[in-house]
Amino acid sequence: MVPSAWVCLDDLPLTANGKLDRAALPDPDPADLRGGVAPTPPRDALESRLAGIWERLLAAGPVGVHDDFFESGGHSIDALRLIGRINQAFGERLAVSAVMEHPTVARQAALLRGRHVDPAPDPVVRIRPEGTLDPVFLVHPIGGNVFCYRPLAAELDADRPVFGLTAPGLTAPGPVPDATVEELAAAHVEALRRVRPEGPYHLAGWSFGGLLAHEAAVQLRSAGQEVATLTLLDTGYPEPGHAPTDESDLLEWFHEDLARSAGFDPSDEGVSALRSALRSVADTTARLAVLAEQVEREGFAPGLDPRDLARHYAVFRQGIRAAAAYEPPAAPCPVLFLQSGTGAREHAAERWAGRAVAGFTRHDIATDHYGLMRPPHSTRAAALLRAALAAADHR
């Protein structure tokens, strides 16, 4: 993918321990993001209110009503903050997936105008619903959202519909219960078959999403459906007992996933301070408050609603526990395995190859686990997935 804007710097800002300080990087000029074209101003009071929410959240402006939220600098955590502020301002209950399906002020305003009743929660995100080819379903990673797939989806064939499957715990009301990989995958199978009742199916998942995609493929095949492709994107092989038993450790994992999903590299000092602070309090509510304070100080998600933080932590904890208890059956179709180049998944690739009795193809991509889903490495991942989908179309 070609960058939408360039910012020239004499030196890159660094943290005290010599790492890149992403929070200190300057934002590009808004005009550069539009190729020098002036933004389209809000056309009514509703669009003005929404544009104001965007500008305060992104600390940038002016916002045009057709500007894309993610191309304007927003990331997955920003989307969570945005939907919280929209819901608070308008008395709504929009799911965070609305930002992905309606990424501009104009489309969000149209969504708000058209809502008269609260719809039933829908875990399916229509990333790109149009197209004549068989769709591909991308299953959420451990965080529960599917924002990570936006660069990948943009590189797939324009005629290929792309759907995301979010964690049921993010959309269903009430507490997030413990669930197995099998139970979570069954919920995804039910959701995707509402969109596409019959196969062939194309399934893919990054990280924990690969476990869910694998199990969904097994369940679809057991129901007599064809699974044409199964793609595991840097998915670790589950190890019994791998999940932390201490909640403070689990919250450290959660913090790292939040930060790296937002493109933030936590400092060693920050991690050490968080570890000490988490162990100084005794209950989940207090520990989440400690975590919220740390996130605020680090600046990658200021003003995050504590209720949203708690729900996302519950989904994360559910996934970690489910993964540690999962024993993958044999895959019902050939497996495409894309591995990041850090070497951390070497053992996983060997184990997955042993479960892929119908065929296993592995490609290494020279980046880390989170970089795999970001340009330029997502372009390579998309090319490999695109080739696998095309080959299946012609079988």
Side-chain angles (χ1 to χ4, degrees), residues 6-387:
W6 296 87
V7 177
C8 295
L9 301 174
D10 293 330
D11 297 289
L12 290 174
L14 302 176
T15 63
N17 60 355
K19 296 183 179 180
L20 175 63
D21 188 352
R22 296 179 184 274
L25 290 171
D27 294 324
D29 189 310
D32 292 338
L33 292 171
R34 305 181 189 91
V37 178
T40 302
R43 297 161 295 187
D44 59 25
L46 177 56
E47 289 185 349
S48 292
R49 290 181 68 188
L50 284 169
I53 292 172
W54 279 43
E55 289 170 358
R56 289 188 293 274
L57 188 146
L58 296 174
V63 166
V65 298
H66 301 302
D67 293 352
D68 185 283
F69 180 75
F70 300 98
E71 292 176 5
S72 298
H75 51 64
S76 59
I77 308 302
D78 288 334
L80 180 61
R81 296 164 59 215
L82 176 66
I83 209 66
R85 295 185 186 189
I86 290 175
N87 285 340
Q88 183 178 28
F90 295 97
E92 280 288 355
R93 296 173 60 188
L94 298 176
V96 69
S97 58
V99 183
M100 195 159 189
E101 295 183 341
H102 307 276
T104 68
V105 165
R107 290 180 61 179
Q108 289 169 10
L111 175 65
L112 289 170
R113 290 190 195 97
R115 285 173 59 86
H116 302 291
V117 296
D118 287 332
D122 188 355
V124 179
V125 180
R126 288 149 181 83
I127 299 173
R128 190 176 63 216
E130 303 84 7
T132 61
L133 299 173
D134 294 332
V136 59
F137 292 89
L138 306 175
V139 190
H140 68 86
I142 198 72
N145 283 310
V146 293
F147 294 112
C148 58
Y149 295 125
R150 195 171 184 275
L152 183 79
E155 297 279 358
L156 298 180
D157 292 326
D159 204 27
R160 175 83 60 189
V162 183
F163 297 93
L165 294 166
T166 59
L170 292 186
T171 56
V176 178
D178 281 338
T180 64
V181 166
E182 291 86 350
E183 289 167 341
L184 293 170
H188 289 315
V189 167
E190 181 181 353
L192 69 85
R193 294 196 73 180
R194 288 197 295 269
V195 174
R196 183 177 175 86
E198 302 292 329
Y201 292 101
H202 299 289
L203 303 173
W206 172 54
S207 197
F208 176 63
L211 296 186
L212 297 174
H214 175 93
E215 178 59 30
V218 170
Q219 294 184 18
L220 284 166
R221 188 66 188 88
S222 296
Q225 296 296 317
E226 177 187 356
V227 180
T229 65
L230 172 61
T231 302
L232 307 183
L233 301 161
D234 214 34
T235 296
Y237 197 88
E239 301 287 348
H242 181 59
T245 56
D246 183 272
E247 186 177 57
S248 294
D249 291 337
L250 190 56
L251 279 161
E252 284 187 47
W253 284 23
F254 178 56
H255 168 260
E256 181 174 8
D257 186 67
L258 274 180
R260 296 196 183 280
S261 295
F264 179 79
D265 187 8
S267 68
D268 294 339
E269 295 86 350
V271 171
S272 178
L274 176 62
R275 180 176 298 119
S276 297
L278 288 172
R279 282 159 178 74
S280 69
V281 293
D283 64 88
T284 300
T285 301
R287 286 171 175 154
L288 281 169
V290 166
L291 181 59
E293 291 172 1
Q294 176 85 1
V295 167
E296 187 77 25
R297 281 194 300 271
E298 290 172 329
F300 65 86
L304 188 62
D305 189 319
R307 293 168 297 182
D308 288 332
L309 186 68
R311 179 163 289 275
H312 277 73
Y313 171 61
V315 168
F316 178 89
R317 180 177 57 197
Q318 178 194 66
I320 290 290
R321 291 174 174 174
Y326 183 53
E327 297 181 8
C333 60
V335 172
L336 171 63
F337 187 88
L338 305 188
Q339 175 174 285
S340 67
T342 59
R345 295 288 191 271
E346 187 67 34
H347 177 63
E350 295 173 357
R351 297 291 299 277
W352 281 118
R355 308 309 295 149
V357 294
F360 184 83
T361 302
R362 167 185 163 180
H363 295 275
D364 291 2
I365 299 179
T367 185
D368 63 23
H369 182 62
Y370 290 89
L372 187 69
M373 290 292 97
R374 298 188 182 118
H377 307 292
S378 57
T379 299
R380 172 62 175 158
L384 294 166
L385 176 56
R386 191 168 59 241

